[in-house]
């Protein structure tokens, strides 16, 4: 019993603003629902979702996106477009000789525009990677939970990728130390749909793999934590987004 990764969710005080930013930057459609704004990604690109909550906190966000570049002109165009749409340059300790460009979106979440010629992200599409602060154990958990094979496994650096290809999801203890304890829930989290609509079976399967149950919300969403203690959500049910989607209660608007 596997779950399907609908999106990575970002909390923000104004979901419409980063949704417009990322829709313009990635050329995505925007679907509003009762709880937030979704930018569907399809089988080979990660979906992004923005919900009301806390703004991102630079230097403390545990996930960040990597965008790819076909050539130097493409990289410069992506950076210029991001700035025009409301992004900004940020300093996270990158060295002057590094060729990637670090920016932040209007909600305060860092992302990188990677230089051309990066073989690791070759063929991954415009949204090449989501990198998470986490351990190899978390990477192995998510590989099994989603049915995505490992495509990188060296030390504490682990990455998985959908069998359809596209966006990689990676875990890395960036400074070589264990993941720091959290004082509050993460502002970013995975949002899952049961692969066959059976939420209870999906939740039971995730717990059997090492997840911990944390909460159940009024809308039926179940909140779990992966082996690193990182929160994620399992929605009750609903068609996988493509030409449109509907929530468990049938309240969401089809595209």
């Amino acid at each position: 019993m596997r779950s399907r990764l609908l999106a990575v969710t970002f909390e923000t005080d104004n979901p419409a603003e980063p949704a417009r930013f990322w829709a313009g930057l990635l050329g995505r459609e925007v679907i509003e629902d009762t709880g937030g704004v979704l930018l569907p990604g399809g089988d080979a690109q990660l979906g992004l979702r923005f919900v009301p909550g806390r703004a991102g906190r630079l230097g403390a966000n545990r996930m960040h996106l990597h965008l790819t570049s076909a050539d130097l002109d493409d990289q410069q165009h992506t950076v210029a477009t991001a700035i025009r749409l409301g992004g900004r340059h940020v300093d996270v300790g990158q060295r002057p000789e590094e060729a990637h460009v670090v920016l932040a979106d209007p909600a305060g979440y860092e992302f990188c525009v990677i230089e051309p010629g990066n073989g690791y992200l070759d063929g991954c599409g415009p949204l090449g990677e989501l990198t998470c602060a986490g351990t190899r154990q978390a990477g192995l958990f998510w590989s099994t939970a989603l049915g995505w094979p490992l495509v990188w496994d060296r030390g504490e650096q682990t990455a998985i990728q959908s069998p359809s290809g596209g966006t990689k999801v990676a875990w890395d203890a960036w400074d070589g130390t264990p993941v720091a304890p959290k004082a509050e829930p993460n502002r970013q989290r995975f949002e899952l749909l049961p692969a066959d609509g059976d939420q209870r079976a999906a939740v039971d399967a995730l717990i059997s793999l090492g997840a911990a149950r944390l909460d159940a919300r009024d809308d039926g969403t179940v909140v779990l934590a992966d082996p690193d203690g990182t929160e994620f959500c399992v929605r009750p049910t609903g068609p996988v987004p493509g030409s449109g989607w509907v929530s468990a209660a049938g309240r969401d608007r089809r595209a």
Side-chain angles (χ1 to χ4, degrees):
M1 172 60 65
R2 287 175 178 151
S3 297
R4 185 179 180 94
L5 180 57
L6 170 65
V8 58
T9 293
F10 299 79
E11 291 186 11
T12 170
D13 53 9
N14 180 9
E17 187 177 21
R20 285 193 298 266
F21 172 86
W22 284 103
L25 194 57
L26 296 175
R28 299 272 184 96
E29 65 174 327
V30 175
I31 301 176
E32 296 182 9
D33 62 40
T34 55
V37 185
L38 174 70
L39 278 59
D43 290 337
Q45 289 286 280
L46 181 66
L48 306 178
R49 190 164 185 262
F50 302 93
V51 300
R54 303 156 295 171
R57 189 156 56 91
L58 292 177
N61 302 317
R62 295 196 173 206
M63 299 178 178
H64 68 273
L65 300 170
H66 288 168
L67 306 186
T68 60
S69 304
D71 51 40
L72 286 175
D73 286 343
D74 185 45
Q75 183 185 26
Q76 292 169 2
H77 174 71
T78 300
V79 172
T81 301
I83 298 299
R84 175 176 57 81
L85 292 171
R88 65 188 189 277
H89 290 274
V90 294
D91 183 357
V92 295
Q94 65 269 34
R95 298 184 297 272
E97 66 270 18
E98 292 179 312
H100 65 275
V101 179
V102 185
L103 304 170
D105 72 7
Y109 293 102
E110 305 100 325
F111 65 98
C112 298
V113 183
I114 305 299
E115 69 278 6
N118 185 298
Y120 170 75
L121 295 179
D122 187 37
C124 291
L127 181 47
E129 184 177 50
L130 172 71
T131 300
C132 312
T135 64
R136 181 176 184 269
Q137 184 182 8
L140 296 177
F141 167 85
W142 283 108
S143 176
T144 303
L146 299 176
W148 288 17
L150 287 170
V151 293
W152 186 269
D153 188 15
R154 298 184 183 180
E156 281 298 314
Q157 296 179 333
T158 306
I160 63 176
Q161 188 178 36
S162 165
S164 300
T167 308
K168 292 178 177 175
V169 182
W171 289 263
D172 186 0
W174 293 318
D175 59 1
T177 61
V179 178
K182 297 188 283 83
E184 59 183 354
N186 290 336
R187 291 168 167 80
Q188 303 150 289
R189 53 189 172 271
F190 291 149
E191 193 160 338
L192 309 184
L193 289 173
D196 66 354
D198 189 338
Q199 184 197 31
R200 177 175 293 181
V203 169
D204 288 345
L206 291 162
I207 291 173
S208 73
L209 294 175
R213 187 182 181 109
L214 299 181
D215 193 15
R217 297 177 179 167
D218 292 342
D219 65 358
T221 297
V222 176
V223 183
L224 304 171
D226 72 11
D228 281 348
T230 300
E231 303 89 358
F232 65 96
C233 297
V234 184
R235 293 177 69 113
T237 188
V240 175
S243 59
W245 69 296
V246 181
S247 72
R251 294 189 300 268
D252 298 335
R253 188 182 72 190
R254 289 187 65 86

